[in-house]
Amino acid sequence: MSASTNSSAGTSAFILIGIPGLEASHFWLAFLLGALYLFTVLGNGTIIYIIRAEQSLHEPMYLFLCMLAAIDILISTSTMPRMMDLLWFNSTAIEFDACLVQMFCIHSLSGMESTILLAMAFDRYVAICCPLRHAAILTSPRIAKIGLAAVMRGAALMAPLPIFIKGLPFCRSRVLSHSYCLHQDVMKLACADIKVNIIYGLIVIISAVGLDSLLISLSYVFILRAALRLSQEARLKALSTCLSHVCAVFLFYVPFIGLSMVHRFGNTHGSSVHVVMANVHLMVPPVLNPIVYGVKTKQIRQRFARLFQRTPRGWDFSASA
């Protein structure tokens, strides 16, 4: 058998693609991507700063939001700079090990985000269904443990993915269908049996995203049932505290499910459908989450306004809780 047929993936590179049909606009699209990345970092960074500085926001919901904002910054940093390099300088080749690192970061951070969204749903459930026990159940040490568990769960579940890819031979096309590395995309290029990859990928989706989304849905069933027992005014007030979280859940899960469906049932490798769904999955939630929570949370809006409130002595950045 030829050397090329037996070539190890560890000594090769993959080819990333930009946006099919818009190659002539890649240079200008990179500016848009850069603006989105800057907004993501500034928006989520501002959320983290405000929650840290405002003592009244040191509550479970906002502490979980702080974790969510940090994850959004990290997941954007793991993808957007490399995509800008691709669009600006046509740097399509990515080394195999770099691809594995990016794959692990994307999947593990997505798993962590799913866990934090579940924790936020649990917080809303306790706050509405067991309000008198909320402070006793979600104490600061427990919130810290939940955050640590989210990190460990995401890393542990996704660590086998690059390990399985590492052992596969690649002897066909090395052109990926996205602007970054995903497990389901890379494994399809292997010229070997990928049954283990497929089975473990399904296990990860079911045990992480599938289970989390199911538990989030169940929590809102209990929330709605408890809210229906309240007066109309109390019901609206209780449900309004859930609106931002519901938006964040849809922003994360809808693109994720859409991308999974495209990979599972689509036959459009390298098409605009794959690329658009993949980019929406990773770009939209980090950009829109700060807007959603900033608009819907009165304390965050007020603190943000104070950041840019002029005083006779200039800009007042010293205000604190």
Side-chain angles (χ1 to χ4, degrees):
M1 190 173 291
S2 66
S4 61
T5 304
N6 284 324
S7 63
S8 170
T11 60
S12 64
F14 292 105
I15 305 299
L16 303 172
I17 67 168
I19 302 178
L22 296 176
E23 288 82 2
S25 303
H26 278 181
F27 182 80
W28 302 110
L29 289 173
F31 282 102
L32 175 60
L33 191 65
L36 291 175
Y37 178 60
L38 181 62
F39 184 86
T40 296
V41 174
L42 290 178
N44 287 285
T46 301
I47 292 289
I48 294 172
Y49 170 77
I50 289 175
I51 293 174
R52 181 177 179 274
E54 191 72 41
Q55 190 68 32
S56 64
L57 296 179
H58 290 184
E59 299 177 2
M61 180 173 66
Y62 301 113
L63 295 176
F64 287 133
L65 174 59
C66 194
M67 298 178 194
L68 186 69
I71 293 173
D72 281 341
I73 292 176
L74 291 175
I75 200 168
S76 296
T77 302
S78 69
T79 55
M80 287 194 182
R82 184 62 183 84
M83 292 170 64
M84 292 169 62
D85 184 39
L86 167 65
L87 297 179
W88 256 330
F89 305 107
N90 197 31
S91 179
T92 58
I94 181 170
E95 292 298 322
F96 181 75
D97 289 337
C99 185
L100 291 185
V101 171
Q102 187 183 61
M103 178 195 306
F104 173 74
C105 290
I106 291 173
H107 289 296
S108 62
L109 288 168
S110 295
M112 294 174 202
E113 183 159 353
S114 180
T115 305
I116 295 300
L117 289 172
L118 173 59
M120 296 173 80
F122 178 69
D123 166 70
R124 291 299 84 206
Y125 163 75
V126 176
I128 294 174
C129 299
C130 311
L132 299 179
R133 300 178 57 196
H134 183 252
I137 293 175
L138 286 170
T139 60
S140 295
R142 284 178 180 167
I143 293 171
K145 290 178 182 178
I146 291 173
L148 179 60
V151 173
M152 295 178 63
R153 182 193 187 213
L157 277 176
M158 305 305 172
L161 296 181
I163 294 175
F164 291 151
I165 294 292
K166 185 78 173 178
L168 292 175
F170 293 86
C171 51
R172 296 197 295 267
S173 170
R174 299 178 188 271
V175 180
L176 299 174
S177 60
H178 299 306
S179 305
Y180 47 83
C181 295
L182 291 177
H183 172 258
Q184 59 266 39
D185 194 18
V186 175
M187 72 176 183
K188 291 179 180 179
L189 300 181
C191 54
D193 186 6
I194 58 172
K195 187 178 298 183
V196 173
N197 299 72
I198 295 174
I199 293 174
Y200 188 76
L202 288 174
I203 292 174
V204 168
I205 291 177
I206 294 172
S207 62
V209 177
L211 179 61
D212 291 351
S213 59
L214 176 62
L215 292 176
I216 290 173
S217 300
L218 286 175
S219 70
Y220 274 101
V221 170
F222 291 122
I223 287 172
L224 288 173
R225 190 171 67 176
L228 290 175
R229 300 194 190 105
L230 303 174
S231 65
Q232 183 175 1
E233 182 180 355
R235 183 187 312 150
L236 292 175
K237 184 177 180 180
L239 294 179
S240 66
T241 65
C242 302
L243 185 57
S244 297
H245 178 254
V246 171
C247 292
V249 168
F250 276 97
L251 285 173
F252 177 79
Y253 286 106
V254 170
F256 182 90
I257 294 173
L259 180 61
S260 299
M261 295 295 288
V262 167
H263 271 287
R264 179 66 180 86
F265 301 107
N267 189 26
T268 52
H269 182 84
S271 73
S272 297
V273 176
H274 276 80
V275 176
V276 170
M277 289 300 301
N279 290 342
V280 166
H281 165 54
L282 289 186
M283 293 182 199
V284 171
V287 171
L288 293 186
N289 279 339
I291 298 176
V292 169
Y293 278 95
V295 170
K296 293 299 298 179
T297 307
K298 182 179 179 180
Q299 295 96 319
I300 293 178
R301 290 201 312 270
Q302 290 176 341
R303 180 69 190 202
F304 184 79
R306 291 212 304 271
L307 283 175
F308 299 98
Q309 183 179 10
R310 277 190 176 276
T311 68
R313 298 168 61 181
W315 292 101
D316 179 18
F317 291 100
S318 60
S320 59

